[in-house]
């Protein structure tokens, strides 16, 4: 019998860019699991910004709604929580509120407490983990390194969660190394991609969107959060100025997770185009119009522990990839041009546009081996059978 699962997310179900949280829920649902998806309750203390104000208003509106079945076997609940997690009283209130309503909704929906699959390192602060038969901690980021986080609280609570979890999955070798110190049953599974979805970029089934098609080529594209703690704005400026004939396309929400992002560092460049966030369903169409996919990330404490979500999505769309030297993708150096510095990054783009590097067949073969379906089955096998997968 398949398990009923409570998935405690750190992302809203309706976020424009889907991450592990939504994809894991979808794959479990496909396998017959019933999933109760809890939207993020927010970890970063809100700033005085229109973006955070709008987000709070949106969450207040959702907070009084009954969990909604968004697709077969998946129910989404958007609880309201006090955002001051470092405050003992606020945490106690949130724990009382979340546990009480979770118990009520699970009972109404006749959900069993078979499995908690959590992404929230503060889970022990908010939920009674002893209610669940098994607890999975899926660690996908070094969240404590993001701006505005309650760092000390996160470190203490995460260690409690690691000690309590039956199994821990991580998405980068660095996360596996650090979290494995606190839980021996820790396993590394890289981020993957929905191959069928993104490979549509190579077909006639999608057309290049008008806002992209109107921009001259060659086009270099990045999809993701356009935040200063994640992206190297100086590198992007150097790419744009080194080749004014290139168009740099940035698709994503500006300042997500970092309200201090100084987008003016890029907005004055005529060949840098900020297209804003796009729906997940439309991303293959945008990638169809990209000549080279780029990963111009900062190299810092956060990105060292990161496996870029878009890496295999770019490959599945058939695109050559140029990236900074991220530890997590060095093992795929034969398939991606890894740059050691800014000048090397520009050179890598030049070579990719010239057709150098891994060919299309090689890129697609690698992408096919790293899908949500195959990864989910390996994770569940480890969780319930104790089998060791042969590859990640």
């Amino acid at each position: 019998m398949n398990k009923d699962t409570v998935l405690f997310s750190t992302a809203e179900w309706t976020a424009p860019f889907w991450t592990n949280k939504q994809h894991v829920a979808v794959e479990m649902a496909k396998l017959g699991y019933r999933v109760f998806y809890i939207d993020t309750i927010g970890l970063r203390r809100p700033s005085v910004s229109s973006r955070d104000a709008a987000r709070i208003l949106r969450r207040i509106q959702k907070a009084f709604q009954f969990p909604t079945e968004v697709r077969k076997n998946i129910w989404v609940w958007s609880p309201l929580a006090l955002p001051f997690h470092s405050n003992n009283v606020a945490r106690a209130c949130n724990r009382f509120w979340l546990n009480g309503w979770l118990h009520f909704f699970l009972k109404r929906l006749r959900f069993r407490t078979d499995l908690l699959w959590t992404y929230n390192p503060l889970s022990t602060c908010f939920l009674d983990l002893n209610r669940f038969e098994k607890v999975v901690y899926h660690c996908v980021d070094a969240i404590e390194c993001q701006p505005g986080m309650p760092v000390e609280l996160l470190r203490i609570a995460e260690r409690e969660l690691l000690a309590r979890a039956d199994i821990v999955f991580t998405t980068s070798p660095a996360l596996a190394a650090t979290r494995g110190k606190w839980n021996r049953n820790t396993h590394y599974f890289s981020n993957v991609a929905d191959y069928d979805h993104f490979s549509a970029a190579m077909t006639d089934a999608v057309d290049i969107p008008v806002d992209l098609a109107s921009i001259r080529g060659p086009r270099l594209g990045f999809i993701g959060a356009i935040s200063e703690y994640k992206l190297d704005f100086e590198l992007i400026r150097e790419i744009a100025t080194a080749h004014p004939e290139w168009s740099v396309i940035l698709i994503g929400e500006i300042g997500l997770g970092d309200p201090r992002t100084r987008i003016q560092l890029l907005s004055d460049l005529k060949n840098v185009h900020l297209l804003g966030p796009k729906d997940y369903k439309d991303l293959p169409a945008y990638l169809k119009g990209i000549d080279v996919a780029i990963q111009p990330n900062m190299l810092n404490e956060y990105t060292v522990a990161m496996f870029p979500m878009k890496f295999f999505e770019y490959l599945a769309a058939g695109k050559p990839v140029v990236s900074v030297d991220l530890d997590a993708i060095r093992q795929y150096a034969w398939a991606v041009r890894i740059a050691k510095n800014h000048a090397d990054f520009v050179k890598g783009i030049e070579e990719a546009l010239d057709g150098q590097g891994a060919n299309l067949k090689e890129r697609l073969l690698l992408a096919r081996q790293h899908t949500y379906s195959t990864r989910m089955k390996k994770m569940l096998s480890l969780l319930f059978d104790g089998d060791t997968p042969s590859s990640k």
Side-chain angles (χ1 to χ4, degrees):
M1 181 171 60
N2 289 330
K3 309 294 184 181
D4 284 353
T5 302
V6 172
L7 191 152
F8 194 14
S9 180
T10 52
E12 291 188 42
W13 175 263
T14 56
F17 293 130
W18 272 24
T19 60
N20 279 286
K21 299 86 175 180
Q22 294 95 333
H23 285 294
V24 164
V26 168
E27 292 303 324
M28 295 186 84
K30 287 180 181 177
L31 293 171
Y33 290 69
R34 294 198 306 163
V35 180
F36 188 88
Y37 184 103
I38 304 176
D39 267 345
T40 179
I41 60 172
L43 293 175
R44 176 178 59 83
R45 184 167 180 166
S47 63
V48 183
S49 67
S50 58
R51 178 188 290 106
D52 279 357
R55 178 174 171 271
I56 291 171
L57 179 60
R58 185 171 65 248
R59 292 307 301 272
I60 291 174
Q61 293 171 337
K62 289 182 177 181
F64 300 100
Q65 298 176 3
F66 197 85
T68 304
E69 188 172 9
V70 294
R71 58 175 67 191
K72 184 179 179 182
N73 289 337
I74 302 177
W75 287 259
V76 174
W77 177 40
S78 300
L80 191 64
L82 297 173
F84 311 105
H85 300 313
S86 294
N87 183 282
N88 292 334
V89 175
R91 286 204 310 278
C93 291
N94 287 336
R95 184 179 180 89
F96 177 79
W97 171 271
L98 289 170
N99 274 293
W101 281 108
L102 179 61
H103 176 75
F104 173 76
F105 288 135
L106 293 183
K107 189 172 182 180
R108 283 287 301 270
L109 294 171
R110 297 182 180 178
F111 257 75
R112 301 182 305 273
T113 52
D114 297 326
L115 177 63
L116 172 67
W117 192 293
T118 182
Y119 293 86
N120 193 321
L122 299 184
S123 294
T124 55
C125 297
F126 301 132
L127 301 179
D128 179 8
L129 272 58
N130 292 323
R131 295 176 55 189
F132 299 91
E133 291 183 17
K134 283 185 177 291
V135 174
V136 174
Y137 177 35
H138 197 172
C139 180
V140 297
D141 283 305
I143 292 178
E144 72 279 4
C145 298
Q146 296 179 6
M149 291 295 178
V151 177
E152 191 58 29
L153 174 63
L154 280 168
R155 286 175 175 162
I156 294 172
E158 187 176 33
R159 288 178 185 179
E160 292 176 355
L161 176 59
L162 287 164
R164 172 61 184 82
D166 294 286
I167 195 168
V168 177
F169 297 125
T170 71
T171 54
S172 76
L175 289 173
T178 53
R179 275 56 181 181
K181 295 177 181 178
W182 302 96
N183 188 312
R184 293 183 178 180
N185 198 17
T186 296
H187 305 269
Y188 161 52
F189 287 88
S190 70
N191 281 325
V192 289
D194 183 340
Y195 181 86
D196 292 337
H197 180 66
F198 283 93
S199 62
M202 296 178 293
T203 71
D204 295 331
V206 298
D207 297 317
I208 300 173
V210 174
D211 59 344
L212 180 60
S214 62
I215 299 172
R216 72 176 185 179
R219 307 185 193 100
L220 321 174
F222 169 83
I223 298 175
I226 304 171
S227 302
E228 209 168 339
Y229 80 100
K230 285 187 175 182
L231 295 188
D232 187 342
F233 283 14
E234 289 302 320
L235 171 57
I236 296 172
R237 286 191 67 88
E238 187 161 336
I239 294 168
T241 55
H243 285 273
E245 75 279 13
W246 293 349
S247 294
V248 181
I249 313 298
L250 303 178
I251 297 173
E253 185 173 346
I254 297 171
L256 184 63
D258 188 2
R260 300 168 300 176
T261 294
R262 298 168 296 169
I263 197 58
Q264 61 271 21
L265 295 175
L266 299 178
S267 56
D268 66 322
L269 296 168
K270 292 183 179 180
N271 60 333
V272 173
H273 303 270
L274 302 162
L275 300 190
K278 305 298 179 182
D279 287 340
Y280 179 76
K281 64 180 177 60
D282 296 327
L283 295 184
Y286 279 93
L287 283 173
K288 184 173 185 175
I290 296 298
D291 297 293
V292 176
I294 57 174
Q295 286 287 162
N297 297 96
M298 291 288 289
L299 293 177
N300 54 32
E301 192 176 5
Y302 176 80
T303 59
V304 162
M306 178 188 77
F307 190 109
M309 280 290 303
K310 298 302 169 189
F311 179 64
F312 287 118
E313 294 176 353
Y314 293 153
L315 294 180
K319 302 303 170 182
V321 181
V322 180
S323 174
V324 297
D325 189 12
L326 295 171
D327 177 68
I329 64 171
R330 285 177 188 161
Q331 62 182 307
Y332 307 111
W334 59 270
V336 53
R337 179 62 155 84
I338 296 178
K340 301 297 183 181
N341 52 52
H342 289 188
D344 198 24
F345 202 105
V346 173
K347 182 181 178 182
I349 296 173
E350 293 170 346
E351 292 176 347
L353 289 171
D354 195 39
Q356 300 181 43
N359 60 40
L360 176 61
K361 182 178 180 181
E362 292 170 328
R363 295 196 295 268
L364 295 179
L365 179 60
L366 180 60
R368 284 194 195 99
Q369 296 169 352
H370 295 81
T371 67
Y372 286 102
S373 176
T374 55
R375 189 186 68 170
M376 192 75 246
K377 290 174 182 177
K378 292 176 181 179
M379 285 179 166
L380 292 174
S381 177
L382 268 175
L383 175 61
F384 294 115
D385 302 329
D387 295 336
T388 302
S390 57
S391 66
K392 303 295 190 277

